[in-house]
Amino acid sequence: MIVIHPAPVPTHFHTAKAAVIETVTAVDERAMDHLSQEVQELFEQQLKIDSLLALSKKLQAEFKEGLQASPQCMLPSHNYTLPDGKEHGTYLGLEVGGSTLRVALVDLDGRTSSRQPLRIRRIVTSPIDSRVRDLRGLAFFDWIAGKIGEMLVADREAHDYMQLKEPLPMGVAWSFPIDQTSIRSGNIIGMGKGFYCSTYKGHDLGELITQACQRLNLNIRLDAIVNDSSAAVLSRAYIDPSTRLAVILGTGLNAAIRLPISSLHESKFGLREFPSTVVSHVLVNTELSMFGKRTFPSTRWDGHLNAHHMMPDYQPMEYLLSGGYMGEIVRLIVIEAIETAGLFDGRIPPALSAPYTLDTYTLAAIEADTYPSLSPSCELFQENYHLPLPPTPTEMHFIRQVILAVSRRSQGYFTAAIYALSSLLHEADDQGNNLYNNGLDHISIGCDGSVINKYPGYMENCQKLLDQLSRVDPEKRKRVVLESAGESAVLGAGVAVAMANASGSP
């Protein structure tokens, strides 16, 4: 999943009435009610079930175009099969994300095991802060190898295993763009702003990590590289054979889906041989965040966010619904309410003046507040943003209504996207591809990420919407079921290694 860091934008979101900011000294309840009503109408205009179904159909058309032409999305991986649940063993899973490194020992006991079939025996999490991103040359990969070594030393059984002649197999879940050339190799495309090791663009990731481990005399063999959304499919499919699709929804957004080879144009496979004569299906990295520009309605606040982003229009769906942007959309509306309706006595709190200072954790806490007075939310807002006085209940109720509107739209748009992806599976099945010859009556979707798994009511509300879409869709489909897939990156990396070892992938 490509992660783009937002660029700085102007402090104030100016409106036609911004000039009155100095004269507004008290809440104009009529103006605030009018703005609240406008927010509700703009954010909920496409959230009725019939409208969501229509949006889903439009997205499905976008997805089909991406499968045929786009070089940036609907990218076929080197994973042509799903786990059969019989893979066994202990493997090393490594997740390299934009802000976090995770190293884990993953145990696979088999889908029918009386124990937990897939589990993390030990995991060590390390932040990737500015100090780490500033590492030059090979130092970043040496840092990764050092963290692997620290974790292995802490686990006695793994340490003993490392003394054997056979190396410990490792899989990597890599959350940055990569031109993958095999299941265990791929050239780095880039890592985003701030990573000085991006100078190794074009170098083979597998070799860089392997050589760093060798410099520390770690007896490790890198056998698989996957992206984070593909890892989520593999980890959930190991447990649930009805899984063909997985999504990541946290700060960013992505999804992976298993589709027939025939649904992709030959050009999507680049220089590698078109594998249709050898295998029938492939796991596809959708780069879901890049879709939706032609489909989803947006508001003036979305337009402001997009116009001032360092890459406007690059990830339109992500800008509308992911955790990295929900807070900023709310902040822009709050700024307008301060300027035009006298919210907070018409004064913008300095701690709220900068872009992206209202985070999803604050949104979640306020949305979960059920006190009539919203006193916990008032205290939280004052503590985080240093208001001279706590917000009044009226002000906090306004902010909570804005948060609800933004989060409900996020849930609706996300549901439309997931339903569109599942429809691709249904269509392929209708064409005789036998995607669901497992005899099950539903499609399972593995879900990972802080928003889908932790934001209050998010997954439950999306499930209700999916069920409603299934009922009104004239094309009767199997039920789509959302399933939590926590720690899917390291678990999926472990499953990918087990599959590579079982198949003898080159």
Side-chain angles (χ1 to χ4, degrees):
M1 176 170 60
I2 301 174
V3 178
I4 302 295
H5 295 285
V9 303
T11 298
H12 300 292
F13 176 49
H14 293 288
T15 69
K17 298 181 180 180
V20 305
I21 184 171
E22 293 183 0
T23 64
V24 176
T25 58
V27 174
D28 183 340
E29 292 190 10
R30 180 177 297 180
M32 189 140 52
D33 287 343
H34 177 76
L35 180 58
S36 179
Q37 183 177 355
E38 183 186 16
V39 168
Q40 303 306 311
E41 291 174 353
L42 290 175
F43 281 82
E44 296 179 6
Q45 61 180 331
Q46 295 290 329
L47 299 188
K48 292 182 179 179
I49 291 302
D50 289 344
S51 298
L52 288 179
L53 184 59
L55 291 176
S56 183
K57 299 297 184 185
K58 291 181 180 179
L59 280 174
Q60 192 175 349
E62 281 195 48
F63 295 158
K64 289 180 180 179
E65 290 179 19
L67 287 167
Q68 296 303 309
S70 174
Q72 295 181 307
C73 57
M74 293 298 182
L75 308 174
S77 70
H78 284 261
N79 300 100
Y80 299 107
T81 61
L82 293 179
D84 59 16
K86 298 178 182 178
E87 296 86 356
H88 284 73
T90 297
Y91 304 95
L92 188 62
L94 176 69
E95 176 193 0
V96 185
S99 61
T100 306
L101 175 80
R102 291 184 176 89
V103 187
L105 280 170
V106 179
D107 289 335
L108 285 71
D109 279 346
R111 188 180 293 154
T112 60
S113 173
S114 58
R115 303 171 61 183
Q116 189 176 352
L118 178 63
R119 65 185 183 280
I120 294 174
R121 182 200 302 173
R122 181 183 294 274
I123 186 168
V124 174
T125 300
S126 303
I128 299 179
D129 53 22
S130 59
R131 179 188 61 83
V132 176
R133 288 192 293 271
D134 286 345
L135 292 173
R136 307 297 177 111
L138 296 173
F140 176 71
F141 299 97
D142 288 335
W143 176 79
I144 291 175
K147 294 300 179 181
I148 295 172
E150 290 175 12
M151 195 277 292
L152 293 175
V153 168
D155 188 279
R156 182 177 180 83
E157 185 174 339
H159 184 266
D160 292 342
Y161 188 83
M162 294 287 289
Q163 309 308 311
L164 302 177
K165 291 183 179 180
E166 286 296 320
L168 180 63
M170 178 174 70
V172 176
W174 185 256
S175 300
F176 305 95
I178 182 173
D179 178 18
Q180 198 156 357
T181 53
S182 75
I183 189 61
R184 57 173 55 88
S185 63
N187 299 322
I188 295 175
I189 295 176
M191 293 181 65
K193 186 178 180 180
F195 279 88
Y196 278 96
C197 63
S198 289
T199 54
Y200 277 84
K201 178 180 178 180
H203 289 247
D204 184 84
L205 174 65
E207 290 185 2
L208 290 170
I209 294 178
T210 297
Q211 291 168 3
C213 290
Q214 290 173 345
R215 286 192 288 273
L216 293 183
N217 297 315
L218 299 178
N219 191 20
I220 290 171
R221 184 182 67 241
L222 197 161
D223 283 345
I225 299 173
V226 291
N227 83 332
D228 51 1
S229 57
S230 295
V233 173
L234 297 177
S235 67
R236 189 64 203 173
Y238 184 81
I239 299 169
D240 183 351
S242 68
T243 304
R244 298 292 183 275
L245 170 63
V247 293
I248 309 292
L249 178 57
T251 302
L253 170 71
N254 200 10
I257 184 172
R258 185 175 185 254
L259 290 172
I261 295 282
S262 58
S263 65
L264 290 91
H265 192 271
E266 291 187 19
S267 62
K268 304 289 286 189
F269 291 86
L271 298 178
R272 62 174 140 154
E273 184 179 350
F274 189 56
S276 62
T277 59
V278 182
V279 293
S280 59
H281 294 79
V282 64
L283 199 54
V284 177
N285 169 22
T286 67
E287 291 296 349
L288 182 60
S289 65
M290 295 183 176
F291 291 95
K293 178 65 176 178
R294 304 197 314 265
T295 298
F296 289 133
S298 61
T299 68
R300 62 178 177 275
W301 304 288
D302 300 310
H304 176 86
L305 185 154
N306 180 65
H308 292 86
H309 198 282
M310 68 180 295
M311 297 191 73
D313 298 325
Y314 186 61
Q315 295 174 297
M317 193 183 303
E318 184 166 303
Y319 302 165
L320 290 170
L321 65 84
S322 79
Y325 300 96
M326 289 169 62
E328 178 62 5
I329 295 168
V330 172
R331 190 193 73 88
L332 291 172
I333 299 171
V334 169
I335 295 298
E336 181 171 328
I338 293 172
E339 294 179 347
T340 65
L343 186 72
F344 305 149
D345 288 333
R347 298 183 179 90
I348 299 175
L352 198 61
S353 62
Y356 299 94
T357 48
L358 183 54
D359 59 47
T360 313
Y361 298 103
T362 302
L363 269 57
I366 295 173
E367 182 162 336
D369 187 353
T370 58
Y371 282 82
S373 65
L374 296 180
S375 54
S377 296
C378 292
E379 293 174 6
L380 175 66
F381 211 85
Q382 182 188 20
E383 179 182 349
N384 287 354
Y385 299 104
H386 313 298
L387 277 65
L389 296 172
T392 67
T394 298
E395 291 173 326
M396 190 51 62
H397 276 287
F398 168 80
I399 293 172
R400 187 170 186 271
Q401 286 302 113
V402 171
I403 292 171
L404 285 168
V406 172
S407 69
R408 292 296 181 268
R409 186 188 68 169
S410 173
Q411 293 160 21
Y413 284 6
F414 175 77
T415 300
I418 294 308
Y419 196 77
L421 286 173
S422 69
S423 295
L424 292 181
L425 295 175
H426 284 120
E427 186 173 293
D429 199 32
D430 292 341
Q431 295 171 357
N433 287 284
N434 297 319
L435 289 177
Y436 301 109
N437 56 8
N438 49 36
L440 299 175
D441 61 354
H442 66 279
I443 304 170
S444 287
I445 299 181
C447 301
D448 200 2
S450 57
V451 172
I452 187 66
N453 281 332
K454 295 181 180 179
Y455 195 94
Y458 200 101
M459 183 183 290
E460 295 82 0
N461 291 335
C462 291
Q463 185 64 65
K464 291 176 183 176
L465 291 174
L466 284 169
D467 291 342
Q468 292 177 54
L469 286 171
S470 296
R471 285 195 292 269
V472 302
D473 191 346
E475 301 177 15
K476 299 303 179 183
R477 305 299 197 187
K478 289 187 177 185
R479 184 170 183 247
V480 179
V481 180
L482 303 177
E483 301 281 0
S484 179
E487 299 291 358
S488 64
V490 289
L491 289 171
V495 173
V497 180
M499 294 174 63
N501 277 264
S503 66
S505 298

